[in-house]
Amino acid sequence: MATITRIQPRALVRASGGPRYAVALAVDALGTGLLRPFLLLYGVKVLRLSAPVTGTAMTVGIVAGLVCMPAVGRWLDRGARSTVVAASMLVRVLGVALLLAAPAGHVWLFTTAALFLGIGNQAWPTAHAALVATVAHGRERDTALAGARALRNAALGVGALLATVCLAGGTTALRALAAVTALAYLAAAALAWSVHVHTYPAEAAPAKDRDDEPAPRMLALLAANVVYVFCLNVPEIALPLVLVTQLHASPVWPAAVFVANTALVVTLQVPVTVLMSRFSRRTVLALSGVVLAASYLGFLAATSLGHGWGTPAIATVSVVCTIGEIIYAGSATALVTALAPAHVLGRALARFQLSTGFGLAVSPAVITTLAPHGPAALWGSLAAATLLSASAVATEKDQGTRLSDCCPRERAGL
């Protein structure tokens, strides 16, 4: 299997959908970074809703987004690509517009807004992966997916930083942030749609090809992915919980860990993905589980050191956890796109996003339930579950890879 041994920026941008699409990704992520971390504050501060009501409405939005994923997968399998990406951005414009229109105390408008935002946030990763899989193939596609993740994390970080600075303006600033977010989503949707990437509809494929290429079940991969994605909430939920409530460290420490996590993802996602291209995607995904499990055991050991040494030790181990996250992110979606036949790629990616969204939805509850029972309950459980998942990934039998990796059958109009 061919590997990519060096990074070529122009080729990377082209494989990611082209310059206009790269700008669309950055603008969309900037808008998301402006609003998403402060959506709860918008409901509480601007609309005067209680925190439990606001949180419940946001959860309903996430669940609704997951329910819509099968329809998104079928739409993609009819040949749509950039249109679905643009739609995932436009539906969030509608969500932000409802936020701006909602009067104080109006919980249903906020819930509806959260619903549209949730649909867009869940649909976007699937549509984006399908688009990249259409314009790039083999290891070039893997690197393009990694590059898009690095770009998106950078823009999310900038957006969140700008929003933090603007928060001093109170409710007026929050409304202004929402308006700017809507404009960013609208501009990103226009740019994404202008790329005009599409494929032949699934029905155009010969019946023999459809029979010869059944949709891979990927049961072990999907189940393992639910556990793997817990790593994405470790810097945001688990580490702040442990550092502040158990080790009584300054809030500066979890903030520094989060910033370091973002910086490492931005700078290392592409180089690490390129480095790992020497090995099979399944092997790399299994390796990421081993690295993540090792980091969880490292957190367990660091916590036992107590307040003095425990805090810097946890910060150090968090680097290992981030490396595991980077390896996981660079191989998981890439493995799905390699396994799925072209005519069911959308549905395969939609199922994968369902497992990702479910893991992200339940992980805060699982982490906050385990943490009060002590470090061994939290980190030991996560390490055991992740090692079990890595073993399942490593031993699952592939049903073959897409023929399009070798001889592309898709058409992309750029």
Side-chain angles (χ1 to χ4, degrees):
M1 182 177 294
T3 61
I4 297 174
T5 57
R6 58 194 180 95
I7 302 168
Q8 298 175 323
R10 288 186 179 180
L12 181 59
V13 171
R14 184 176 63 253
S16 302
R20 278 177 296 167
Y21 188 68
V23 173
L25 293 184
V27 173
D28 175 73
L30 184 66
T32 301
L34 286 172
L35 182 63
R36 193 168 69 179
F38 306 105
L39 184 57
L40 180 68
L41 287 179
Y42 192 96
V44 173
K45 298 292 186 181
V46 178
L47 302 184
R48 309 297 180 188
L49 303 174
S50 68
V53 168
T54 305
T56 301
M58 293 171 64
T59 301
V60 168
I62 294 173
V63 173
L66 292 175
V67 171
C68 291
M69 289 313 301
V72 172
R74 288 192 295 270
W75 189 8
L76 289 167
D77 286 338
R78 293 191 184 101
R81 290 295 185 266
S82 56
T83 302
V84 186
V85 175
S88 72
M89 297 170 176
L90 284 175
V91 74
R92 284 179 285 177
V93 174
L94 181 57
V96 178
L98 289 173
L99 280 182
L100 292 170
H106 204 299
V107 64
W108 289 111
L109 268 182
F110 179 80
T111 302
T112 307
L115 184 145
F116 285 121
L117 289 169
I119 291 173
N121 289 334
Q122 295 297 331
W124 180 86
T126 298
H128 164 71
L131 185 147
V132 173
T134 302
V135 300
H137 304 277
R139 293 298 182 170
E140 186 181 55
R141 178 189 60 228
D142 299 10
T143 308
L145 289 169
R149 182 172 191 258
L151 175 63
R152 185 168 178 80
N153 273 268
L156 281 169
V158 172
L161 181 61
L162 291 174
T164 302
V165 172
C166 294
L167 278 180
T171 58
T172 301
L174 283 171
R175 286 190 177 275
L177 284 174
V180 173
T181 299
L183 292 175
Y185 285 152
L186 188 61
L191 285 167
W193 180 82
S194 71
V195 174
H196 297 305
V197 176
H198 56 278
T199 71
Y200 286 116
E203 289 78 8
K208 183 179 185 299
D209 284 352
R210 295 199 298 269
D211 292 337
D212 291 345
E213 294 181 284
R217 299 180 68 186
M218 304 183 298
L219 294 180
L221 174 59
L222 296 177
N225 187 55
V226 173
V227 177
Y228 269 94
V229 297
F230 274 55
C231 73
L232 302 180
N233 275 330
V234 165
E236 296 185 33
I237 297 173
L239 294 186
L241 188 64
V242 170
L243 287 169
V244 175
T245 66
Q246 296 181 3
L247 295 181
H248 308 291
S250 166
V252 173
W253 280 101
V257 167
F258 183 79
V259 170
N261 172 272
T262 302
L264 287 172
V265 170
V266 171
T267 56
L268 296 182
Q269 185 66 70
V270 173
V272 170
T273 301
V274 170
L275 180 65
M276 292 291 105
S277 67
R278 294 170 173 80
F279 310 100
S280 74
R281 298 176 182 89
R282 187 173 290 279
T283 298
V284 174
L285 184 56
L287 173 64
S288 71
V290 174
V291 175
L292 288 171
S295 72
Y296 298 152
L297 293 176
F299 288 134
L300 176 59
T303 305
S304 67
L305 297 177
H307 174 69
W309 290 99
T311 299
I314 284 179
T316 302
V317 175
S318 70
V319 175
V320 180
C321 186
T322 300
I323 297 299
E325 173 193 334
I326 289 170
I327 300 173
Y328 156 70
S331 57
T333 303
L335 178 59
V336 175
T337 60
L339 288 175
H343 67 277
V344 292
L345 176 62
R347 278 167 284 179
L349 287 170
R351 288 199 298 270
F352 183 73
Q353 181 60 29
L354 276 172
S355 70
T356 299
F358 179 75
L360 289 175
V362 302
S363 57
V366 172
I367 290 171
T368 53
T369 299
L370 290 174
H373 296 284
L378 174 60
W379 301 118
S381 298
L382 287 180
T386 306
L387 279 176
L388 182 63
S389 299
S391 176
V393 168
T395 56
E396 186 179 36
K397 299 297 183 182
D398 292 344
Q399 297 179 21
T401 57
R402 292 171 55 200
L403 294 179
S404 57
D405 280 346
C406 303
C407 45
R409 296 178 300 168
E410 301 163 319
R411 175 170 60 89
L414 299 179

